[in-house]
Structure formats: C-alpha cells, structure tokens
C-alpha cells in the first residue's frame, strides 16, 4: 500500500527517519495557508486547470498571487510562459495542459532554488508525443519490471492520480497501458471498460491512453477465420473495434503493435508486409485521429546478423506507411544493451515517420539493484540522430517512447535511485538539449536534499554511472553476454539446448584463440556497418568504445594508446569495479543528508552493485582468458572468484526479481 505523507509537522518529523519514497520528486511542503491563485480562462472549470490551481495553492510559497491564463496566441501546443512582475506571477498557455506544465515548472524552480531570480521564462515541447510504454500483463505481472506488480491491472488500489501527477510534472503526456506482448483479451469489453476508467483518472493530468494490441485479435476475440490485413471482414472488425474504443475513450491515443517478432502474430503470417498490417490499423483509427505505433523490433533471419535484420526488413517499406503510422525503433539495432550504436533505421527512413524507443526499466542495466542514470546514454543516441539523421521539415514523428520502470512498490520504481530515470525520461522527451548533470542535480534537490555537499558528489556519481556499468559489464563494444532469461548477471559461456543462436552470448562475442568481437565490417564481415551513412561509418569504425561491436580483433591488437586489446579489456573491467566501489563509498558518506529508510535501502543496493561488479569482471575476464591465454596485466587485482564456481552457479531468475537485495545469494 502506498502512503501519502501529508506534511503536517508531526509527520514531517517522522519522515526524517521513515520515508517510503512514494512522494517521488514531488515533495514540496504543503502550504499552511494556501497561495492565492486566479484562473483567467474561458472555461475556468476545466479539470486540468483545477489540478494546476490546486498544485499552486498548495505548493507556491512566493508572496505574489499567481494567475493562470489560457488564451489563444500564447505559445502554441502545450508550451507555456511565466512572467513575474511585482505582486503577480502569470503562467500563460494556449491550452489548460500548457498551464499545468507551466505550474509544475514554477514549482520546480521554487524547489531547486531558481524562483527568486526568475523574471520570465518560456518553454515548449520538442516532441508532441512523450509516451511511457508499460509492459504490464492483464494478470498484473510486469514483463521486465522490477518494482512489483502492475499499477493498472490485476489488483487495483494504486494511486493513479499520483502516477499521472508525476508524469505531468515532467511533461509525459501519454501511456501505453499494457505489454507489447499483448493478450487478445485486452480488446475485450471488460478490459476496455477498465481502460476507460483508467483514462478517466489520468485525463486531468493530460496523460492520454494507448493500448498494445495482438495482431490476431480478430481471430482470437472476434471468431474470424483469419487476421489477414487485406481481408475485408478483418478490416471491418478493426474498424468496429476502433469505434467501440472511441465511444468509451474519446481521446484514445491509438495502438502499439509488436508483430512477427518473438512468436507474436503479424501480417507476415499471411504473406503480407508490415506496411499492410500497420496501414490496416491506421485506417481503422484515422477517422478518430488515432495513431499506430508499429514496432521495428524484428529479427527474422533474412540476414545472418541480427543487428542488420530490422533494417533489412523495414527499409524496403520506406514510404509505404500511412500518415498516421509511426515506426517505433529501439535506440540500438540489437536490444537495449548497455551500449549500442544507434539503430540505422532511425537514420535512414526518410519517407516514414519514426520514433525512438528507449528502456527506462533496467532490464540490461542491473534491474533495481544497480544505480545507473540513463540520461547520458539516451543523449548519446539522440546526438547521433541529430547529427546524422534525415532532414525532414516535420522533424520526423516528434515522438519518443520509454519502457516504464514503474510498479506498485511503495517507491514506484523498486529502487529510489531509479526514480531519476522516470524523471529524466520526461525532462529529455520535452527538451532533448537539457544537460544530464543539470537534470541529475534538479532531481536530487527535489528528491533528497538541496545541500551542495550532497548534490555535487551525487550528481557526479549519477553522470558517471552509465559509463561505469558499461565498463564492468561489457566494455569496448561487447554485448549480449548476459545470463539467459533474466539478463542480470554475466554468463558469456551460456549455452542452452533448443535456443536460437542469436539469443546466446557466443553468437555476439565470438571469442576464440585468435581474438574476440563481431565482424560487422563491409570487407570481411556481416556488412552491417554499411547500413550507416558514410560519415557515421567512419566515426563508429574509429570509436574504441564500440570496437568489438564492429570488429573481431586479435587479443594482441594495438589500441590507440599502445596497449593490447587484452590489457585494455582487463583495465576497463578494473576501472568499472573501482568505480562501483567508489559509488558505495559516496552514498555511505551521504547519510547525514538522507532519511534513514531511504538511505538504508539504497545502501544495500550500492553495496550489492559493488559486489556484483566484481562478479561481472571475474566471470568475463576469467572466461575470455581461456581464449586469450594471457595473464592479467601487472597491477590488475587477483580475481575474487574461480571460473569453475561461477559457471556452476546458475542464477535463479525469481530470486533476482525480488526487490530486496538482502534476499540475493
Ligand atoms: C526484450 C525483452 C522482452 C521483450 C522484447 C521486446 O527481453 O521481454 O518482449 O525485448 O521489446 O528486450 O519486445
């Protein structure tokens, strides 16, 4: 059960010791005497304006009265301006939602110490659609979720207003309520009624609802003999379904579809293309203004390299998608690895609207145990897209999706530090030019404490944390060397009967006595690097952080600084381990600034991260050493584990899904 700690003096005193984290970054003390807030709008009773007004009445502590002004001609879309003059702060927008965003911006400035000097500010979103994808199943389980059960399904009781409020406070304006591996029942009447009730609770905060759909629904649910997208009865079924949904949810956003991927049904089951499938759904949604987000996460073996397959499958369809289709592409060509080059599809589809999908949930980055702040990783991808992406007048789809890290745990994200990734996703979706460190600082001040002695070292930790994780997990372009199933720990030797080759680590690292890495060069390899624009091929080809992603190189290969690859690999793992140890020490020293409950909970995680970094390093170096047959370089610490022990130890997925690091082996 989530508790809302009202800021009465008594409870506040108690909160210094016990704080379950449920308030996220929205912890401003409530005013004893409400601030004066006037609404200047045609429709003063608007539900969104009521939320904005209540937030300001409770939260604004300046002396001035605040005016919420909605009028045409103000920054368009959901942008806002703030003007401060003597006695009055005006928050203006063309829409009630813009006024709400402006209100949260003002309160954020107040909480981060920027309100005093504020005279004028204005902002508008870089993306029109800023959407969370929840991989929630109707039975309440969350796929790749590390924060308890679904807040939407299979239980009830979650504080959806607090969820929507948190989303709105950082500009997130949409949510897909269910897993991309979608059950047909999601489109049944009972589920649609539930979805409508959820939509009603999110609506005042401007969070629009979308659903993932199973492509075979007309068969599974509608009793039709086929789900062929060119079949008239199938098309009619989808049109009726769309009409039914919009009758219940007038502002419904549309569908998200995972088709012909990992066993899910799709148009190719009928000899049709992804475009045929997407366009059929687009046709059903178009009269209502809905959108189809069609995922490009496919890897049918048309090409011998999984990293090349989505491009091979989708590029021939460029220009054949209906205008209300967006092709949703994971940030990298394989699967949310700790570091990937950008997906070439994001750079190459010039006549199709595309959007990037990133994972906020840390499937491959330490689940709810490791502290990994993802803003720097997302910005890395974003920067490449900006520099090398196609130039289009409309800027592409102006949309971005994040796979949510949210569940019904009291602190929403399983780990208190992981809340920062939900926060950063929203902030960057709104404004990709924001600086990672600035986002980290802003989040730390609102979530924990404003003391410089806390904010400075913790922001430093956060901006370094992604690179550190890459270093102790899979540096220099190594990828997908995770334990099977749960993706938490290392298992570069993993071999499973009956598994596809491209689900197994050896497919990706290709270690042998000659060297290691996946040859994706044009000359001798899979040619996947050829899918990038020329200038980017040169850049990626020269980036040693991606060396083993693109090339198979000898253990004695000379790196630019003169070290051999083997030495560089060992040193990089060592650096990662040392960093993880320093993170734990940093948090240990932060005790005076953080309430007991959150400090203790997070301390256990930092200690666990430092320990598991060793496990990663030992497992990978000892395993690769069986191929390199080279000693660890001078000064590289002796392993803490023996390879034979690590290989015998099979991690239990369920143990790792338990949110309590004390329960881990
Ligand atoms: C993989 C996840 C799997 C998802 C799949 C997807 O392991 O659970 O279903 O991606 O994105 O990363 O469809």
């Amino acid at each position: 059960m989530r508790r809302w700690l009202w800021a009465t003096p008594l409870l506040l005193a108690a909160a210094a010791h016990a704080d379950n984290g449920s308030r996220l970054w929205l912890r401003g003390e409530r005013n004893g005497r409400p601030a004066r807030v006037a609404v200047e709008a045609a429709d003063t009773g608007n539900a969104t304006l009521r939320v904005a007004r209540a937030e300001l009445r409770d939260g604004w502590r300046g002396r001035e009265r605040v005016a919420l002004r909605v009028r045409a001609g103000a920054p368009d879309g959901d942008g806002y301006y703030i003007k401060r003059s003597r006695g009055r702060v005006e928050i203006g927008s063309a829409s009630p939602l813009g006024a709400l965003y402006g209100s949260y911006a003002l309160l954020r400035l107040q909480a981060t110490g920027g309100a005093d000097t504020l005279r004028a500010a204005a902002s508008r979103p870089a993306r029109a659609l800023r959407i969370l994808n929840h991989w929630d199943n109707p039975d309440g389980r969350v796929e790749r979720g590390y924060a308890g059960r679904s807040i939407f399904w299979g239980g009830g009781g979650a504080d959806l207003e607090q969820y929507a409020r948190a989303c709105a406070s950082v500009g997130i304006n949409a949510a897909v309520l269910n897993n991309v591996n979608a059950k047909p029942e999601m489109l049944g009447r009972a589920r649609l009624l539930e979805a409508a009730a959820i939509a009603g609770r999110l609506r005042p905060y401007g969070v629009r609802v979308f659903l993932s759909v199973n492509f075979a629904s007309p068969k599974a649910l509608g009793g039709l003999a086929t789900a062929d997208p060119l079949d008239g009865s199938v098309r009619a079924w989808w049109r009726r379904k769309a009409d039914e949904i919009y009758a219940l949810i007038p502002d419904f956003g549309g569908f998200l579809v995972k088709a012909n991927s990992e066993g899910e049904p799709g148009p190719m089951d009928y000899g049709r293309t992804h475009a045929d499938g997407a366009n059929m759904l687009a046709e059903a949604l178009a009269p209502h203004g809905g959108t189809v987000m069609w995922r490009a996460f496919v890897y049918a073996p048309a090409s011998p390299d999984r990293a090349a397959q989505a491009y091979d499958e989708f590029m021939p369809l460029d220009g054949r998608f209906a205008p209300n289709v967006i092709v949703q592409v994971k940030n990298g060509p394989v699967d949310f690895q700790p570091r990937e080059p950008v997906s070439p599809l994001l750079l190459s589809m010039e006549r199709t609207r595309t959007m990037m999908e990133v994972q906020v949930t840390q499937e491959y980055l330490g689940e709810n145990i490791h502290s990994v702040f993802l803003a720097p990783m997302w910005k890395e991808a974003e920067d490449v897209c900006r520099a090398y992406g196609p130039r289009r007048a409309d800027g592409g789809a102006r949309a971005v999706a994040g796979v949510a890290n949210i569940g019904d745990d009291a602190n929403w994200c399983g780990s208190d530090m992981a809340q920062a990734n939900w926060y950063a996703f929203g902030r960057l979706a709104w404004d990709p030019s924001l600086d990672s460190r600035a986002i980290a600082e802003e989040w730390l001040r609102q979530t924990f404490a404003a003391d410089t002695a806390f904010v400075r070292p913790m922001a430093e930790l956060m901006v370094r944390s992604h690179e550190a994780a890459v270093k102790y997990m899979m540096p220099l372009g190594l990828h997908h060397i995770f334990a099977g199933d749960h993706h938490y720990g290392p298992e570069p030797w993993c071999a499973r009967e009956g598994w596809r080759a491209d689900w197994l680590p050896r497919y990706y690292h290709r270690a042998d006595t000659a060297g290691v890495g996946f040859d994706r060069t044009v000359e001798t390899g899979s040619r996947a690097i050829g899918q990038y624009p020329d200038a980017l091929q040169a850049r990626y080809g020269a980036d040693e952080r991606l060396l083993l992603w693109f090339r198979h190189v000898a253990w004695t290969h000379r790196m630019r600084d003169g070290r051999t690859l083997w030495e560089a690999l060992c040193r990089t793992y060592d650096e990662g381990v040392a960093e993880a140890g320093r993170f734990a020490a940093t948090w240990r020293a932060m005790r005076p600034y953080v309430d007991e409950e959150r400090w203790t909970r997070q301390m256990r995680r930092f200690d666990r991260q430092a320990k598991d970094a060793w496990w990663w390093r030992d497992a990978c170096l000892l395993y690769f050493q069986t191929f390199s047959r080279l000693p660890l370089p001078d000064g590289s610490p002796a392993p803490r584990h023996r390879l034979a022990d690590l290989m015998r130890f099979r991690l239990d997925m369920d143990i790792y899904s338990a949110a309590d690091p004390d329960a881990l082996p």
Side-chain angles (χ1 to χ4, degrees):
M1 262 311 270
R2 190 165 285 125
R3 278 177 296 140
W4 175 261
L5 296 178
W6 295 96
T8 63
L10 195 75
L11 279 173
L12 262 189
H17 304 288
D19 190 318
N20 65 4
S22 63
R23 288 179 297 164
L24 297 159
W25 51 88
L26 297 163
R27 312 166 70 81
E29 289 170 32
R30 285 171 176 251
N31 286 332
R33 234 187 39 211
R36 286 172 306 160
V37 184
V39 175
E40 299 169 7
D43 175 12
T44 51
N46 175 280
T48 301
L49 287 174
R50 281 213 301 270
V51 172
R53 180 154 186 261
E55 291 285 10
L56 292 165
R57 280 170 58 104
D58 289 345
W60 174 243
R61 290 192 298 282
R63 278 174 211 262
E64 306 90 332
R65 56 187 306 151
V66 186
L68 282 168
R69 202 151 182 233
V70 179
R71 61 182 170 90
D76 59 10
D78 294 323
Y80 60 82
Y81 65 81
I82 305 175
K83 267 196 317 220
R84 191 177 198 185
S85 53
R86 205 155 1 134
R88 175 177 160 108
V89 182
E90 181 176 312
I91 300 174
S93 174
S95 71
L97 187 54
L100 179 63
Y101 291 146
S103 306
Y104 284 123
L106 180 66
L107 294 173
R108 179 166 58 239
L109 278 169
Q110 172 177 268
T112 54
D116 293 346
T117 51
L118 172 75
R119 288 292 156 263
S123 185
R124 57 208 278 190
R127 270 75 162 257
L129 183 62
R130 309 171 294 277
I131 188 167
L132 284 175
N133 291 185
H134 291 264
W135 285 359
D136 294 16
N137 292 312
D139 65 3
R141 280 179 312 112
V142 181
E143 181 153 340
R144 309 303 177 186
Y146 313 103
R149 292 170 58 80
S150 170
I151 58 170
F152 300 123
W153 312 106
D159 184 349
L160 293 187
E161 284 73 21
Q162 174 74 342
Y163 160 81
R165 182 177 176 236
C167 287
S169 76
V170 291
I172 293 167
N173 66 354
V176 181
L177 302 182
N178 64 308
N179 193 354
V180 287
N181 297 313
K183 303 270 182 273
E185 69 164 278
M186 283 304 309
L187 290 181
R189 187 74 187 168
R191 293 296 179 187
L192 292 180
L193 288 170
E194 283 183 82
I198 295 167
R201 294 176 67 183
L202 309 187
R203 188 170 293 116
Y205 297 85
V207 180
R208 283 174 79 190
V209 157
F210 288 65
L211 291 173
S212 295
V213 299
N214 182 298
F215 197 80
S217 296
K219 276 167 76 181
L221 210 62
L224 300 189
T226 175
D228 181 348
L230 299 192
D231 181 284
S233 61
V234 171
R235 299 178 89 89
W237 188 88
W238 281 108
R239 278 199 301 272
R240 278 197 311 276
K241 193 43 87 177
D243 295 345
E244 179 188 355
I245 296 172
Y246 278 92
L248 293 170
I249 311 173
D251 56 355
F252 180 69
F255 296 144
L256 173 63
V257 196
K258 171 176 178 177
N260 292 118
S261 164
E262 300 186 328
E264 296 296 334
M268 286 149 101
D269 303 346
Y270 307 94
R272 315 299 184 194
T273 68
H274 286 286
D276 294 330
N279 293 347
M280 169 191 64
L281 297 177
E283 176 191 270
L285 293 171
H288 307 282
T291 300
V292 178
M293 294 173 296
W294 189 271
R295 295 177 89 229
F297 179 64
V298 296
Y299 46 100
S303 136
D305 178 359
R306 172 164 162 197
Q309 288 162 4
Y311 180 98
D312 287 346
E313 208 162 302
F314 274 79
M315 271 313 282
L317 301 174
D318 191 15
R320 291 182 44 199
F321 290 93
N324 59 330
V325 174
I326 307 177
V327 174
Q328 181 170 312
V329 187
K330 289 188 183 185
N331 61 284
V334 170
D335 190 9
F336 298 134
Q337 296 303 291
R339 169 164 283 127
E340 293 196 33
V342 160
S343 166
L345 268 181
L346 287 167
L347 306 172
S348 309
M349 293 192 94
E350 301 206 18
R351 289 173 297 135
T352 303
R353 298 201 301 159
T354 58
M355 68 193 280
M356 193 189 291
E357 172 182 328
V358 299
Q359 228 177 20
V360 186
T361 192
Q362 290 167 244
E363 174 181 357
Y364 294 102
L365 277 161
E367 303 192 353
N368 66 17
I369 309 291
H370 298 222
S371 281
V372 182
F373 182 51
L374 299 171
M377 181 176 86
W378 299 332
K379 283 183 71 77
E380 209 170 284
E382 181 71 36
D383 290 348
V384 171
C385 287
R386 197 151 0 118
Y388 301 94
R391 306 269 173 268
R392 279 183 308 235
D394 71 344
R398 296 189 61 231
V400 62
V403 181
N405 63 348
I406 296 158
D408 72 350
D409 274 2
N411 69 356
W412 299 92
C413 299
S415 129
D416 295 280
M417 288 300 289
Q419 296 175 356
N421 291 326
W422 178 4
Y423 184 90
F425 172 73
R427 297 286 285 134
L428 284 174
W430 180 284
D431 182 358
S433 75
L434 289 176
D435 172 63
S436 298
R437 187 181 298 265
I439 297 173
E441 287 184 355
E442 171 184 283
W443 175 79
L444 286 162
R445 279 170 199 270
Q446 294 171 87
T447 307
F448 289 107
D451 308 62
T452 314
F454 171 78
V455 173
R456 211 175 273 153
M458 283 305 295
E460 178 68 15
L461 181 159
M462 286 171 72
V463 296
R464 296 173 72 103
S465 60
H466 170 251
E467 198 62 51
V470 172
K471 285 181 174 181
Y472 63 71
M473 286 181 173
M474 40 195 86
L476 302 182
L478 285 171
H479 51 291
H480 230 313
I481 54 176
F482 289 97
D485 307 321
H486 54 66
H487 301 161
Y488 178 81
E491 202 179 349
W493 52 82
C494 175
R496 297 283 163 80
E497 288 281 324
W499 276 28
R500 301 169 54 120
D502 57 5
W503 278 356
L504 293 171
R506 299 177 83 133
Y507 174 91
Y508 296 96
H509 65 64
R510 306 198 169 203
D512 53 28
T513 51
V516 61
F518 198 128
D519 187 352
R520 296 192 163 110
T521 63
V522 173
E523 300 75 25
T524 52
S526 77
R527 310 171 65 93
I529 198 169
Q531 295 178 339
Y532 292 101
D534 291 348
L536 186 56
Q537 284 184 39
R539 170 170 155 178
Y540 276 156
D543 186 346
E544 289 187 334
R545 297 174 315 162
L546 289 170
L547 180 64
L548 306 179
W549 184 286
F550 288 116
R551 289 172 61 195
H552 187 270
V553 297
W555 297 107
T556 52
H557 164 89
R558 287 283 161 201
M559 304 292 284
R560 265 199 297 282
D561 64 5
R563 294 181 299 182
T564 64
L565 169 73
W566 173 246
E567 276 174 310
L569 196 63
C570 295
R571 295 291 185 216
T572 312
Y573 272 107
D574 293 349
E575 282 166 26
V577 165
E579 275 274 71
R582 282 194 292 273
F583 293 166
T586 300
W587 184 257
R588 190 158 277 114
M590 294 300 124
R591 190 164 195 168
Y593 304 102
V594 181
D595 55 278
E596 191 69 26
E597 185 177 345
R598 284 187 299 167
W599 182 83
T600 307
R601 188 163 55 224
Q602 195 54 52
M603 192 66 249
R604 293 209 306 264
R605 286 179 160 70
F606 273 115
D607 283 338
R608 182 77 212 187
Q609 178 177 358
K611 192 168 165 219
D612 289 349
W614 270 92
W615 168 37
W616 265 100
R617 178 242 184 214
D618 287 354
C620 296
L621 288 184
L622 292 173
Y623 171 72
F624 288 129
Q625 196 175 34
T626 64
F627 300 99
S628 80
R629 298 174 183 159
L630 293 165
L632 296 185
D634 286 347
S636 191
R640 291 183 177 178
H641 310 89
R642 291 184 327 163
L643 182 60
D645 296 337
L646 293 171
M647 288 179 76
R648 250 198 315 272
F649 174 59
R650 266 282 295 132
L651 278 167
D652 183 334
M653 193 172 176
D654 296 329
I655 296 178
Y656 270 86
S657 300
D660 182 1
D662 285 346
L664 305 180

